[in-house]
Amino acid sequence: VMELPWTANRVARDSTPAAARASFRKATTQGTDGFDRVLFEFDQTTAYPGYEVSRVPADSTFACGTDSRTLDLGGAQTLLVRINPARTGDGKTTWVRTGTRDLKSARLQKGGVICDDGHAVTWAAGLAEGKEVRVLELRAPPRLAVDVR
C-alpha cells in the first residue's frame, strides 16, 4: 500500500515506460462520516497505470481525444481522475460503461466514466463538498482509492 497524504493540490503518478494499457474493471463509491471514496479496480495482468487526480471548477472544459467537453455533474467543483494508459474494454467485452449516474453520497453527486479515448480513461464526479483528496495505491488486486473530504 502506498498512501499519499491529504492535499488540496493535484496528485499524479507517471506510468511505467512502455506500459501496456491497464484493464479498468470496476469503479465503486462509498461514503463514511469523514470522507467519500472512489475505488478503481484493474486487471492483474498489466503494470499499475499512471493517474492524475484533480479538482476543477464545475464548468471546466476537458479534452477527450480530439474533442472538448464541458460537464454538468452538479456541485461547485468536479473531481477528475485520469488513468493512463488504460481501457474500459478489449473490443469484445466492455467492463465499465461510459456514462454517469447518481452516486448517492454526501460529497460525490453524479459521476462515472466520461471518456475512454483508446489510451486513457477519465472518470469524473460533481463535488457537493470536499476541499482535499487522498490517494492510496493498493496491490493484489491492483486498485486505486481516491478519498474526498
Side-chain angles (χ1 to χ4, degrees), residues 123-147:
W123 187 95
L127 290 175
E129 61 181 79
K131 295 183 177 164
E132 294 182 308
V133 296
R134 172 178 64 181
V135 174
L136 294 93
E137 293 182 13
L138 309 165
R139 310 289 182 190
R143 292 158 292 153
L144 176 69
V146 178
D147 298 338

Side-chain angles (χ1 to χ4, degrees), residues 11 46 131 140:
V11 178
T46 56
K131 295 183 177 164

Side-chain angles (χ1 to χ4, degrees), residues 1-148:
V1 174
M2 184 175 87
E3 179 179 339
L4 301 173
W6 289 101
T7 182
N9 299 318
R10 174 185 160 271
V11 178
R13 174 186 185 275
D14 290 333
S15 61
T16 55
R21 288 180 297 164
S23 299
F24 175 25
R25 295 295 184 155
K26 183 165 58 167
T28 56
T29 57
Q30 65 185 50
T32 67
D33 287 339
F35 62 90
D36 287 355
R37 171 171 286 172
V38 185
L39 186 65
F40 301 94
E41 297 181 30
F42 308 100
D43 193 330
Q44 296 185 25
T45 60
T46 56
Y48 202 87
Y51 56 82
E52 179 181 351
V53 178
S54 58
R55 291 174 307 113
V56 299
D59 59 353
S60 295
T61 300
F62 76 98
C64 177
T66 59
D67 296 334
S68 291
R69 299 180 185 177
T70 302
L71 298 173
D72 181 15
L73 299 173
Q77 294 186 21
T78 299
L79 174 68
L80 282 177
V81 181
R82 182 174 162 85
I83 303 164
N84 181 22
R87 61 187 179 162
T88 58
D90 62 5
K92 297 177 187 174
T93 305
T94 300
W95 308 303
V96 178
R97 297 203 183 284
T98 300
T100 60
R101 62 182 174 82
D102 182 2
L103 299 176
K104 300 177 183 165
S105 73
R107 292 160 195 86
L108 302 169
Q109 295 183 327
K110 187 176 178 182
V113 173
I114 57 167
C115 178
D116 180 353
D117 66 11
H119 185 69
V121 174
T122 304
W123 187 95
L127 290 175
E129 61 181 79
K131 295 183 177 164
E132 294 182 308
V133 296
R134 172 178 64 181
V135 174
L136 294 93
E137 293 182 13
L138 309 165
R139 310 289 182 190
R143 292 158 292 153
L144 176 69
V146 178
D147 298 338
V148 179

